[in-house]
Amino acid sequence: MPVKSNAQSPVGSTGGPGILPERPAIVVLTGAGISKESGLATFRDADGTWNRVRIEDVATPEAFETDPLMVQSFYNARRAQLADVHPNAAHIALAELERRFPGEVLLVTQNVDDLHERAGSRALIHMHGELKKARCLNCGAVLSWPGDLTPDSPCDRCRRLGQLRPHIVWFGEVPLEMDRIQTALEHCRLFVSIGTSGTVYPAAGFVWTAGQAGARTVEINLEPGNGASLFDEAFYGPATRVVPEFLARLDLTAI
Ligand code: BJW
């Protein structure tokens, strides 16, 4: 699958360059498992999204070129679902960590939902994009887009019709903010991975980068992920229980 660059697209993060720390002591990576108990499906569990729809039909640039209406409908439904779900105890515990820790924390999420920001996290990167944004293929604008997107929606900036796509990183596209994430991983002292199967790269390789740089690496998941052997420590169980417990026990003065 050829890799396409998202270079045209500006910052994919919530916090913005002023808020995002360059060399945080703690980097947290989250995946779909953290939002599962809020009511959002994961991808690869038995009841996951990829057992319901084919990746090739909805999550590649080729799918969008072939059938934009089908792809827009898939993302419209998932965007609409965000109105019915709420941040859970794991999202809230991570937002509290950011407030409580005297140093800097960077939260990198693979999730395209908005539950981390609704819980109060600010230093946040959405490396696979955001459901509530659209991107213009003509002018590159990244627009806030809370409602449905149609194949002929006009761009708010250049006014061209039919050029907007979901601001989502599909297979074969380069995730957002990779330089910033790489620098953070190379300088952090604690790396915590939560609710991800460790299947999709480059996120699946972050534990290796952080470990090579000397960070303590911790996996929190329902069950061991694909990269389980790469972590120094692991805590298994539902995120709403294990994440608050782990963070409550963490000695913040020792990081
Ligand atoms: C709980 C829980 C509870 C449940 N509590 N836990 C061979 C061919 C072609 C491509 C490739 C290839 N080999 C590698 C590639 C690259 C490809 C890739 O990795 N493919 C693999 C599948 C093999 N990657 C890419 O194409 C990426 N781009 C890229 O690599 O560019 C090159 C480049 C990179 C860097 C620099 C320069 C160049 C892009 C990947 C885009 C991924 N997009 C998606 C969909 C878009 C968003 C959307 O529609 O929502 O992102 S795929 C999907 O997977 C989504 C997720 O973010 C991502 C990760 O999934 P996640 O979060 O791990 O979910 P699950 O379901 O897998 O796991 C959930 C976990 O939670 C499980 O472990 C459960 O146990 C656990 N859990 N309940 C705690 N209550």
Side-chain angles (χ1 to χ4, degrees):
M1 199 182 283
V3 171
K4 294 192 183 171
S5 169
N6 287 323
Q8 255 199 321
S9 71
V11 178
S13 55
T14 297
I19 290 172
L20 296 176
E22 263 179 39
R23 296 184 173 200
I26 304 176
V27 175
V28 179
L29 171 71
T30 63
I34 197 170
S35 296
K36 169 83 180 185
E37 291 163 87
S38 290
L40 297 177
T42 60
F43 292 93
R44 297 170 184 82
D45 291 318
D47 56 352
T49 301
W50 298 152
N51 281 322
R52 199 167 45 80
V53 288
R54 289 178 354 129
I55 290 176
E56 306 77 39
D57 290 340
V58 293
T60 65
E62 294 75 18
F64 187 63
E65 275 161 34
T66 308
D67 193 345
L69 184 58
M70 152 107 127
V71 174
Q72 303 283 29
S73 304
F74 173 71
Y75 285 100
N76 286 344
R78 290 183 50 206
R79 193 179 301 112
Q81 203 188 356
L82 296 184
D84 302 327
V85 298
H86 304 282
N88 64 43
H91 298 105
I92 291 165
L94 288 173
E96 272 167 13
L97 171 70
E98 188 181 325
R99 285 195 292 273
R100 203 158 56 87
F101 182 53
E104 292 180 316
V105 182
L106 179 65
L107 179 52
V108 179
T109 187
Q110 298 169 85
N111 299 343
V112 296
D113 66 54
D114 60 352
L115 295 179
H116 282 307
E117 46 270 54
R118 281 162 59 189
S121 287
R122 292 290 167 262
L124 169 65
I125 291 174
H126 279 279
M127 65 177 290
H128 290 165
E130 295 173 68
L131 276 171
K132 285 188 171 173
K133 289 185 179 171
R135 187 160 83 239
C136 180
L137 294 168
N138 182 51
C139 72
V142 176
L143 309 167
S144 170
W145 205 274
D148 281 358
L149 200 53
T150 68
D152 52 6
S153 297
C155 171
D156 287 348
R157 190 160 85 182
C158 70
R159 307 310 306 168
R160 280 272 300 270
L161 303 179
Q163 296 295 310
L164 293 180
R165 56 164 276 181
H167 186 48
I168 300 287
V169 177
W170 288 320
F171 282 103
E173 296 184 318
V174 180
L176 303 168
E177 301 277 8
M178 281 311 300
D179 290 349
R180 192 183 284 274
I181 295 170
Q182 180 72 19
T183 303
L185 291 169
E186 286 169 359
H187 292 91
C188 70
R189 295 193 289 277
L190 172 65
F191 173 76
V192 186
S193 167
I194 303 171
T196 175
S197 62
T199 310
V200 174
Y201 286 85
F206 290 176
V207 56
W208 190 85
T209 307
Q212 285 291 302
R216 171 187 170 199
T217 57
V218 179
E219 177 180 40
I220 297 178
N221 208 20
L222 203 54
E223 56 197 26
N226 285 345
S229 63
L230 296 172
F231 289 88
D232 298 322
E233 293 161 64
F235 300 91
Y236 298 120
T240 56
R241 175 173 62 77
V242 180
V243 174
E245 277 177 9
F246 170 76
L247 295 177
R249 278 200 310 266
L250 193 61
D251 180 0
L252 297 180
T253 61
I255 299 169

